């Protein structure tokens, strides 16, 4: 996915060991479709060379405000014209202090002051430098000035200490930039999403589950966060990492998921039930491993129905806007429409299970009172953004 296609980003490097990450960041930004123009402070050149950054970006690297390669000798003006954003990664404590006070004594700080595009900084410094009151005052001033701050993260530092101050990893910075450019129609809203399979124990080592990977639900959680929402993701067992900025609550069984959802739903404005919840569970799971006795038959298992989480939420007196999912193996239209009416939800999303479970792409059909809308096959993140946009349109039409 080239989610930054058409975006021109000026990548600024200030002095710090995290400059080594900027090489990978350049490539990842390009892989996402962005064009990258690198500008380095003099201090940054002590950690990584302009030659390296030029080879990776495919463009000349600028380090001096006196660079005569521009016809008008005004690199501090020309380099940001037409840029979608300036991203400074790493942003040192020194660079942050200069930006906070409007000091421009080199090319990088001068073009930040002369810009007509967004400015994003990714701090990187020792944990004590980050925690220092002066740095915190400067960060607060940057935010007050409309400058976007990404991170920092906590972890091992080059000095051998551990704490807050690490620059975000390149993949996190790219995801944050993709997020940054998305419209924010759900700002101020809370979205509750369920995702993944559930697991119903037969004994301590066996259980009933399904092939849901959780990819669609996680993509929807990320898309809702990109749209500005506060997102809570209630997830069954998956190997996926939670999208950045999303609060994940891990659960195992359908009843665990129901309890987590009911605890969170009072503050949610939108509930999207993507999880593949087991319809049945074992009435009395064994507390010890069931043994295969010689010549014996299979154990007799008694099933009971699990709670219907979506129907329960949809029946609340002050329910959120509810979106259900129907993964069917056949008769999709009939089964999906029946499920929507039975559970009394305004929007139901259908797909063919065998085409979607575990896959990276999908095709979705939206069912509501207005009729049927098809979202053509695409990667799941693209479909998730399309679905969130469709939900926004329906909420706006309903005056919510």
């Amino acid at each position: 996915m080239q989610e930054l296609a058409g975006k021109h980003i000026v990548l600024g490097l200030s002095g710090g060991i995290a400059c080594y990450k900027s090489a990978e960041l350049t490539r990842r930004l390009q892989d996402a479709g962005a064009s990258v123009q690198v500008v380095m402070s003099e201090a940054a050149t002590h950690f990584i060379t302009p030659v390296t950054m030029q080879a990776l970006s495919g463009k000349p690297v600028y380090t001096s405000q006196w660079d005569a390669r521009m016809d008008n000798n005004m690199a501090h003006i020309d380099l940001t014209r037409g840029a979608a954003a300036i991203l400074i990664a790493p942003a040192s404590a020194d660079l942050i202090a200069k930006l906070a006070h409007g000091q421009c004594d080199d090319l990088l700080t001068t073009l930040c002051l002369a810009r007509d595009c967004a400015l994003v900084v990714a701090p990187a410094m020792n944990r004590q430098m980050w925690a220092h009151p002066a740095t915190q005052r400067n960060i607060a001033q940057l935010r007050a000035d409309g400058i976007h701050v990404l991170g920092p993260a906590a972890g091992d530092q080059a000095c051998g200490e551990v704490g807050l101050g690490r620059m975000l990893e390149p993949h996190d910075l790219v995801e944050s930039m993709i997020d940054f450019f998305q419209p924010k129609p759900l700002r101020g809203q809370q979205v509750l999403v369920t995702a993944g399979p559930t697991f119903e124990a037969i004994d301590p080592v066996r259980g009933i589950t399904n092939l849901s990977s959780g990819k669609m639900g996680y993509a929807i959680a990320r898309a809702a966060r990109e749209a500005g929402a506060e997102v809570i993701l209630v997830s069954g067992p998956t190997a996926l990492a939670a999208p950045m900025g999303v609060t994940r609550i891990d659960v195992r069984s359908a009843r665990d998921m129901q309890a987590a959802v009911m605890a969170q739903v009072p503050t949610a404005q939108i509930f999207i039930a993507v999880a593949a919840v087991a319809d049945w569970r074992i009435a009395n799971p064994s507390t010890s491993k069931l043994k295969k006795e010689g010549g014996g038959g299979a154990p007799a298992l008694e099933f009971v129905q699990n709670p219907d989480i979506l129907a329960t939420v949809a029946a609340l007196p002050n329910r959120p806007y509810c979106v259900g999912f129907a993964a069917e193996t056949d008769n999709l239209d009939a089964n999906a429409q029946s499920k929507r009416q039975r559970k009394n939800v305004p929007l139901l999303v259908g797909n063919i299970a065998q085409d979607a479970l575990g896959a990276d792409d999908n095709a979705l059909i939206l069912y509501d009172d207005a009729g049927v809308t098809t979202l053509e096959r695409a990667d799941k993140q693209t479909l998730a953004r399309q679905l969130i946009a469709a939900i926004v349109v329906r909420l706006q039409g309903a005056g919510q």
Side-chain angles (χ1 to χ4, degrees):
M1 290 187 294
Q2 295 225 317
E3 296 162 297
L4 294 176
K7 304 293 185 186
H8 178 57
I9 295 175
V10 176
L11 177 61
L13 281 63
S14 62
I17 188 60
C19 282
Y20 81 91
K21 296 182 181 180
S22 301
E24 182 184 352
L25 175 59
T26 300
R27 275 293 172 84
R28 284 181 175 265
L29 287 168
Q30 291 172 319
D31 289 344
S35 63
V36 180
Q37 172 64 65
V38 176
V39 177
M40 301 173 65
S41 71
E42 190 276 334
T45 64
H46 290 270
F47 293 92
I48 192 168
T49 68
V51 172
T52 298
M53 299 309 296
Q54 179 172 328
L56 293 170
S57 67
K59 292 183 173 62
V61 172
Y62 290 83
T63 61
S64 171
Q65 59 186 327
W66 312 116
D67 197 309
R69 284 177 289 179
M70 294 283 185
D71 291 340
N72 58 6
N73 208 22
M74 295 184 182
H76 68 292
I77 301 293
D78 292 353
L79 285 174
T80 62
R81 296 303 179 254
I86 301 168
L87 169 61
I88 302 181
S92 65
D94 176 64
L95 187 281
I96 288 168
K98 289 179 179 180
L99 293 178
H101 293 88
Q103 181 179 342
C104 45
D105 59 359
D106 64 1
L107 175 60
L108 182 56
T109 52
T110 303
L111 66 80
C112 287
L113 208 64
R115 66 191 164 88
D116 58 3
C117 62
L119 176 57
V120 183
V121 299
M125 64 196 73
N126 165 267
R127 64 178 182 84
Q128 291 170 313
M129 295 172 72
W130 172 253
H132 195 283
T135 302
Q136 291 305 303
R137 284 196 301 272
N138 292 335
I139 286 291
Q141 185 61 55
L142 294 192
R143 291 191 171 115
D145 291 343
I147 296 171
H148 302 270
V149 181
L150 303 179
D156 295 335
Q157 300 186 332
C159 59
E161 297 180 357
V162 178
L164 202 60
R166 282 175 60 95
M167 189 174 88
L168 295 181
E169 296 304 316
H171 66 274
D172 290 328
L173 287 173
V174 173
E175 183 175 330
S176 295
M177 292 305 293
I178 293 168
D179 185 343
F180 175 77
F181 289 116
Q182 297 295 324
K184 301 291 184 282
L186 293 180
R187 194 184 302 277
Q189 303 285 302
Q190 187 183 92
V191 177
L192 178 60
V193 181
T194 65
T198 59
F199 181 92
E200 307 298 332
I202 295 173
D203 63 22
V205 298
R206 302 183 183 93
I208 300 170
T209 188
N210 57 67
L211 295 175
S212 173
S213 65
K215 292 176 182 177
M216 192 73 243
Y218 276 58
I220 290 170
R222 176 181 169 184
R225 185 216 66 211
E226 289 175 348
E230 175 193 351
V231 181
I232 298 172
L233 174 63
V234 179
S235 176
T238 82
L240 301 175
M244 195 163 63
V246 169
T247 299
R248 184 175 73 182
I249 300 172
D250 291 320
V251 297
R252 187 173 174 87
S253 70
R255 287 179 292 176
D256 295 338
M257 183 169 284
Q258 182 190 38
V261 166
M262 298 311 293
Q264 299 296 326
V265 80
T267 56
Q269 287 76 49
I270 301 171
F271 174 53
I272 309 176
V274 192
V277 181
D279 291 325
W280 300 280
R281 68 180 186 275
I282 305 302
N284 295 298
S286 175
T287 57
S288 58
K289 181 181 176 182
L290 296 174
K291 298 294 186 179
K292 182 175 64 175
E293 303 297 342
L301 301 177
E302 180 185 351
F303 292 87
V304 294
Q305 196 167 34
N306 267 325
D308 189 321
I309 300 171
L310 176 60
T312 301
V313 173
L316 293 173
N318 296 310
R319 71 179 190 174
Y321 183 85
C322 293
V323 180
F325 266 68
E328 302 291 342
T329 57
D330 49 42
N331 300 321
L332 176 59
D333 286 350
N335 288 329
Q337 292 285 23
S338 173
K339 182 175 182 177
R340 189 176 82 87
Q341 294 166 7
R342 186 173 67 254
K343 299 195 179 189
N344 190 30
V345 296
L347 178 61
L348 192 127
V349 182
N351 61 262
I352 298 298
Q354 55 266 39
D355 293 339
L357 290 176
D360 292 326
D361 58 0
N362 199 357
L364 301 177
I365 302 177
L366 312 187
Y367 301 89
D368 65 3
D369 287 339
V372 177
T373 304
T374 299
L375 302 182
E376 298 296 339
R377 194 165 198 90
D379 64 87
K380 288 183 175 178
Q381 195 59 62
T382 296
L383 286 175
R385 294 190 181 109
Q386 292 175 355
L387 175 59
I388 291 297
I391 292 170
V392 169
V393 168
R394 285 159 173 79
L395 287 173
Q396 291 171 343
Q400 296 187 38

